Amino acid sequence: MSRSELVRRYGIFTSGVIFAALGIALITRAGLGTSAVSGLPYVCSLIFPALSFGTFNFIFEILLFLGQAALLGRAFSRVQFLQLPANFVFSYCIDLWMWVLHFFIPDALPYPVRLLLLLIGCVLLGLGVALEVVADVLILSYEGFVKALSQRFHRDFGHTELVVDNTILVLAILTSFAGLGRLAGLREGTIIGTLIVGHISGFFCRRLAPLTKRLCQSGALE
């Protein structure tokens, strides 16, 4: 792969990270529950407000990074250490978008508007994930952990991701009740996002993959 193509692919990946962070922030600001994957970091930020949503997300991603390294052992590629700066950018962008969107006050918005914000956030999250996938250079630590689990135990990636998603969701619920005495940050929007983001991501992947291939190849030919 030429340097030009590599730069283009990492540019697409970075765009995906930014869009995914925007989607998560918009879903969260809608006030109908954050995404299942980010549920645990968000609940932790509600329990310990001195640390931001993005900070807890970074901690969470680092733990998953260590988990995949332990699962893969010597098979863990050195290039995957690039997940660390990618995780930082992703987590920083979550906090940045949360700040940019601070004017969205859920209690002041009609429910249909909040639902619309949630759906727009799901579309942006799905687009971001698709861009990360079609770039085909790197993955964030959450997807890396799921991939490592599926490889280590010889299980289907999709099934493994579903199990991990549900496990994290249960942990978020238990953490919320233990730390706040109530369910917080997880509502109907969490369920909606879980049901549709994967389909949205698949839709964008099918349409962006050919465009990405042509873009990167044209750069390689320059």
Side-chain angles (χ1 to χ4, degrees):
M1 186 182 297
S2 70
R3 178 177 296 181
S4 174
E5 181 178 357
L6 196 61
V7 168
R8 287 170 184 258
R9 287 187 178 277
Y10 272 104
I12 293 169
F13 173 81
T14 303
S15 298
V17 168
I18 294 171
F19 275 114
L22 174 56
I24 288 175
L26 197 55
I27 291 170
T28 306
R29 286 299 188 194
L32 298 177
T34 191
S35 66
V37 174
S38 58
L40 186 57
Y42 183 61
V43 168
C44 288
S45 73
L46 296 177
I47 298 173
F48 304 102
L51 296 179
S52 68
F53 182 12
T55 300
F56 274 111
N57 187 81
F58 184 66
I59 294 171
F60 181 57
E61 294 278 0
I62 292 300
L63 292 175
L64 293 175
F65 172 83
L66 295 174
Q68 65 177 298
L71 285 167
L72 295 177
R74 293 182 178 179
F76 187 72
S77 173
R78 290 183 179 180
V79 72
Q80 295 307 322
F81 279 93
L82 290 175
Q83 289 179 27
L84 296 175
N87 290 334
F88 176 80
V89 171
F90 179 53
S91 301
Y92 176 81
C93 285
I94 288 177
D95 276 347
L96 177 62
W97 287 122
M98 288 290 287
W99 176 78
V100 170
L101 300 172
H102 72 278
F103 55 86
F104 283 125
I105 303 173
D107 292 339
L109 298 174
Y111 188 86
V113 175
R114 296 166 67 181
L115 185 60
L116 177 61
L117 292 176
L118 169 71
L119 294 176
I120 294 173
C122 288
V123 171
L124 291 171
L125 177 55
L127 173 61
V129 171
L131 287 169
E132 294 170 22
V133 171
V134 299
D136 195 25
V137 285
L138 192 65
I139 51 178
L140 293 175
S141 292
Y142 179 82
E143 288 78 14
F145 178 73
V146 174
K147 184 178 181 181
L149 273 177
S150 67
Q151 290 177 352
R152 178 67 175 80
F153 296 103
H154 308 289
R155 295 290 186 268
D156 176 71
F157 180 87
H159 175 73
T160 304
E161 186 172 29
L162 182 61
V163 171
V164 174
D165 286 351
N166 289 331
T167 300
I168 292 173
L169 184 58
V170 170
L171 288 174
I173 293 171
L174 294 176
T175 302
S176 180
F177 278 111
L180 299 170
R182 58 185 175 85
L183 184 62
L186 304 164
R187 285 183 50 178
E188 65 269 29
T190 305
I191 298 174
I192 293 172
T194 301
L195 292 174
I196 69 173
V197 169
H199 295 291
I200 293 171
S201 177
F203 170 84
F204 280 121
C205 278
R206 290 189 295 272
R207 283 152 181 79
L208 291 175
L211 295 175
T212 301
K213 185 177 180 179
R214 288 199 296 270
L215 173 64
C216 293
Q217 287 180 342
S218 66
L221 295 173
E222 290 177 356

